[in-house]
Amino acid sequence: MFLLRRYVCIFTEKLKNQAELCVFLSVKFSNCNGKRKVQYESSEPADFKVDEDGMVYAVRSFPLSSEHAKFLIYAQDKETQEKWQVAVKLSLKPTLTEESVKESPEVEEIVFPRQLGKHSGHLQRQKRDWVIPPINLPENSRGPFPQELVRIRSDRDKNLSLRYSVTGPGADQPPTGIFIINPISGQLSVTKPLDREQIARFHLRAHAVDINGNQVENPIDIVINVIDMNDNRPEFLHQVWNGTVPEGSKPGTYVMTVTAIDADDPNALNGMLRYRILSQAPSTPSPNMFTINNETGDIITVAAGLDREKVQQYTLIIQATDMEGNPTYGLSNTATAIITVTDVNDNPPEFTAMTFYGEVPENRVDIIVANLTVTDKDQPHTPAWNAVYRISGGDPTGRFAIQTDPNSNDGLVTVVKPIDFETNRMFVLTVAAENQVPLAKGIQHPPQSTATVSVTVIDVNENPYFAPNPKIIRQEEGLHAGTMLTTFTAQDPDRYMQQNIRYTKLSDPANWLKIDPVNGQITTIAILDRESPNVKNNIYNATFLASDNGIPPMSGTGTLQIYLLDINDNAPQVLPQEAETCETPDPNSINITALDYDIDPNAGPFAFDLPLSPVNIKKNWTITRLNGDFAQLNLKIKFLEAGIYEVPIIITDSGNPPKSNISILRVKVCQCDSNGDCTDVDRIVGAGLGTGAIIAILLCIIILLILVLMFVVWMKRRDKERQAKQLLIDPEDDVRDNILKYDEEGGGEEDQDYDLSQLQQPDTVEPDAIKPVGIRRMDERPIHAEPQYPVRSAAPHPGDIGDFINEGLKAADNDPTAPPYDSLLVFDYEGSGSTAGSLSSLNSSSSGGEQDYDYLNDWGPRFKKLADMYGGGDD
């Protein structure tokens, strides 16, 4: 059956006879077993909507007439499809005044159920406790507040004075003060507007106690549901959404999903969102390239023609609206969806020209010959844009390669093997270009582009070359100078250039050969010797240079290898050349062999023998051949006095003809111990000095003499410098150099005109004859033939001053015109008389003993000598 509950939502004239989104009533279907699942529907879905929980809403604004409005509500079983209906009538009530509201007894009462009691000594069964239905209260109510909700009372209030209270969140627990109750009347009220997005349901407990606080009723539970109102707009999780789709995608290709949320009840119309695309930019090739699932927000393509080369990005404005997308009553919000069209390989590379040209000098590698350019409409620097080049024809020997420039995507034709102009003057290559990845399916273009490359080879001057190189010849050693060995010529690879080649010798370690500069004939200039240290493994190497007269001139080298055949030109020698043996034949012997610089068959086996003379050789010694290379020398006599003996040995090789040699073996005969070891102190080298030792001793003696000579020269030079320093003592060290006696001063200031150069060169003193008569002084030297005084150079070396003074002193001693003592020297004529008196005429004001000269000590080191002479007291 249907149960209907009335809500406080009244159509009044103040609402201008309109109803919009107001909860009228609640419909509930109930059957006997309570297991049916029903679905509600309205007969007027355009005006009224029934939610799954039975709430009846007005979905639009419409005028209400004074007549009764009627509509039906259907309940259909989801399993059996059975259907029931109930009629709903709406009537218009006049506006209520505050007085009428106060007087209105329309407030619903909730009565506490009666408790169990005893009757005639037996428990009496009472009715089952009531199930208090929830109280539904719309959010965002405008009041007035406090707004009465329900009245709670107990049937014992007739006999007792009771007090009512409520507890729970919203009453005495946070958030406190939202619900209050009149403790006397039990009137439950709400004090402020509610917000379902904060708290959607309140659970309160009502209590009834007497004036003493004793509980008279069991607490009852009160549930207050906050009815959702559409007071929140949808909000997108992101204001800008980014997605991608490959170009050329078919209709129905998934692109991206946008999502919005609504804080309102998601199970009610207020929280049911619907999506739609408001605009698309650009609108090419179709204004509706994309569509969106209005419930899930999935964006998919609906049209073909996505081409990244034309449109790289689309911008969609997406709108989300609640109330299931109702444009009239739903709240909306927008976001931006940016869809980037990604590139696929739908455009092959295309050459910008059918033929490319290039040139390359011959014999050059790793140089760029030509630059191949292509165009590709795909996105740059992606596998669909990157070009790969290959040579499909015209290069059978693989002399060219093509590399891709990663920045420009050009093909760089490079030479990887040398090219000979005389063989190939031009190449015509066929090249192809394709992308790193294959073309996308369904593309009608060919997968690659082809072109030709014409490469011209430039002739350059090349190096002459010897053939064969090296050239090997076989010759016997011992060839005399002037023998022509062979002709070693070079070839010029430049067949189309008229050039001459000249030959020179580049390397000839033993200086045995010469080459004709024109025809390349090689001739000996010395005897070839196989045993020379310049010959390795019987081969002598000489290098020659061939140069042409091209521009620029080029040259090439060739090696001549002479394999020298051995001849028997070296006599064998005894080895070792020095040996020791005891004075008696026992206990040891001397084993010897032969050294021959020749090789087989001009070497061993050797024959060993002793010469017939001197006679004592065969008398004292005997030689026994052990094998073809070794022999044994023994004493023939029982005792031989200790000493150094030179034993000649005749050694003959096996050459044809054989070659013999008398080789000297120096044998030291010594006293031996029981083990056969010499006990003498002196060794063989002590008996005499070799040539090398003598040369070393002479060199040491010469070096020692040179060092002694250098030391003597240095000492002599040092003495000269010491003498010069004694003559030129620093004035600060010796005050005597500052007190010079010049005798009479002459005429004072009138005697300033004289030549100082005569003091440096005495031989330039002007003759006495030019002096006027009657002005000669008494102490002036007489007129005689002047001796030869040494002349000092204008810029002498400082070390020559001492020599000069000594030589001047010797000349003065031998000069008959010189004064009788060295301290009196005449330097120049200083004039006739002076206005100043003689210094000797100055008299001291007191005697020397009365004068105090101690102040001279304060004048510094220059007056120290005077202070010692005059200030010393009695000393």
Side-chain angles (χ1 to χ4, degrees), residues 23-43:
V23 179
F24 295 114
L25 49 88
S26 174
V27 179
K28 185 176 181 182
F29 182 83
S30 176
N31 62 337
C32 294
N33 54 21
K35 297 181 180 180
R36 291 182 180 272
K37 295 182 179 180
V38 296
Q39 179 179 358
Y40 299 105
E41 294 181 3
S42 172
S43 62

Side-chain angles (χ1 to χ4, degrees), residues 595-742:
L595 175 64
D596 196 332
Y597 292 105
D598 294 325
I599 60 176
D600 290 336
N602 298 317
F606 300 98
F608 300 90
D609 198 2
L610 297 175
L612 298 177
S613 62
V615 181
N616 60 344
I617 296 300
K618 281 201 171 186
K619 178 182 177 181
N620 297 335
W621 304 92
T622 180
I623 190 168
T624 303
R625 180 180 179 185
L626 300 178
N627 53 37
D629 294 328
F630 292 92
Q632 194 174 76
L633 183 66
N634 296 294
L635 281 175
K636 192 175 182 180
I637 60 178
K638 296 182 179 180
F639 177 80
L640 183 63
E641 186 179 357
I644 303 298
Y645 297 88
E646 293 184 353
V647 180
I649 299 175
I650 301 174
I651 304 176
T652 305
D653 60 22
S654 299
N656 186 17
K659 202 171 188 65
S660 299
N661 180 37
I662 299 177
S663 184
I664 303 299
L665 176 63
R666 293 169 58 87
V667 180
K668 177 185 178 182
V669 179
C670 60
Q671 297 178 359
C672 298
D673 54 14
S674 59
N675 296 325
D677 297 329
C678 284
T679 58
D680 295 349
V681 179
D682 296 336
R683 307 295 297 173
I684 296 178
V685 295
L689 294 176
T691 304
I694 296 175
I695 293 175
I697 294 173
L698 291 176
L699 288 176
C700 292
I701 294 174
I702 292 173
I703 293 173
L704 184 60
L705 292 176
I706 292 174
L707 293 176
V708 172
L709 181 61
M710 293 176 63
F711 180 74
V712 172
V713 172
W714 178 76
M715 290 296 295
K716 184 174 180 61
R717 187 67 170 268
R718 185 180 177 185
D719 292 340
K720 291 183 179 180
E721 292 178 356
R722 185 180 300 168
Q723 294 175 4
K725 290 180 180 180
Q726 291 176 355
L727 295 174
L728 299 175
I729 300 177
D730 190 6
E732 294 182 0
D733 298 332
D734 192 353
V735 74
R736 289 176 299 178
D737 289 346
N738 296 329
I739 303 177
L740 302 178
K741 182 178 180 181
Y742 293 98

